[in-house]
Amino acid sequence: MTALRLRWQRSIAIAATGAAAFVGTAIAAAPAQAHTPGWSVTCDSVSIDLKAYAQSGNKVTVKAGDKVLISENFGASFNKKVDLPEHSKPLTVTAQVVASDGDQYSWGPETKTSPVCDTPAPTPSESESTEPSPSASPSQSASEKPEPSAPESSSSAPAAKPQSGGEDLAETGSSSNTPMIAGIAAAVVVAGGGLVFFARKRRSSHS
């Protein structure tokens, strides 16, 4: 009876020891399985998603080249997306997490590369709308071409200088033919006087 009881006690002790070891292993493994880090990089942004960490004291850091994009303390979880600076060549992005419940749960810095974003080709409608339209068609240009200004009227132009003694005519008011007219008039007077003289002489000879 005593031997049987001892066997039972020994079996119970072995079973309890095995159960305690199993529970201890499960507890030790739980934090390692619970920490779930994740992050991704595109051509224009970086996203980070951290789950099941300790309740406080954790820190996450994300850099793009030498520029710090994220440097924050967090608790049980952290989720954030930030834009990357514009870049014309592949950009190196690093992420690092320091866990408060042990260095074995910390990770990084991990490195990923952000590619250059492709510029979308403009659609035909966009290219037509952005193409500068000509200021005017050839027909419009010809019709809208300014006509040469009309020459100034003769009234605004300086008067032409009169020829053949025009200056004397303006000063005396007489024509350039005045000497000729005067000569003809004198000849007529002389001829008239001669006719009168002969007529009187003829009368006196008849009487």
Side-chain angles (χ1 to χ4, degrees):
M1 187 72 180
T2 305
L4 182 62
R5 182 179 298 178
L6 290 174
R7 288 179 182 179
W8 274 105
Q9 291 177 350
R10 186 178 298 176
S11 299
I12 294 172
I14 293 172
T17 302
F22 176 78
V23 171
T25 303
I27 293 173
Q33 295 175 352
H35 293 71
T36 309
W39 69 299
S40 61
V41 173
T42 64
C43 70
D44 59 358
S45 65
V46 54
S47 301
I48 188 160
D49 186 19
L50 308 173
K51 297 177 181 178
Y53 278 78
Q55 294 299 317
S56 62
N58 308 296
K59 185 174 182 180
V60 56
T61 304
V62 177
K63 295 181 180 179
D66 295 331
K67 183 177 181 180
V68 177
L69 302 179
I70 300 174
S71 180
E72 299 182 25
N73 295 324
F74 69 98
S77 62
F78 183 86
N79 185 282
K80 193 169 188 179
K81 179 179 179 180
V82 293
D83 294 334
L84 291 174
E86 294 184 1
H87 49 283
S88 58
K89 59 183 180 180
L91 180 64
T92 300
V93 183
T94 58
Q96 183 177 13
V97 171
V98 177
S100 63
D101 53 350
D103 293 339
Q104 67 272 27
Y105 307 126
S106 301
W107 56 271
E110 289 186 1
T111 301
K112 293 185 179 183
T113 301
S114 170
V116 178
C117 292
D118 295 330
T119 304
T123 61
S125 59
E126 291 177 349
S127 59
E128 290 177 1
S129 61
T130 57
E131 182 179 357
S133 58
S135 58
S137 62
S139 59
Q140 291 176 336
S141 300
S143 61
E144 295 177 0
K145 185 178 181 180
E147 298 180 357
S149 58
E152 296 182 359
S153 61
S154 57
S155 61
S156 61
K161 184 177 180 181
Q163 300 178 357
S164 302
E167 294 180 358
D168 296 339
L169 179 62
E171 294 176 359
T172 60
S174 60
S175 171
S176 60
N177 296 327
T178 301
M180 183 184 296
I181 296 173
I184 294 174
V188 171
V189 172
V190 173
L195 290 175
V196 172
F197 175 74
F198 285 115
R200 286 183 180 178
K201 187 175 180 180
R202 185 175 180 181
R203 288 178 183 175
S204 60
S205 62
H206 285 294
S207 58

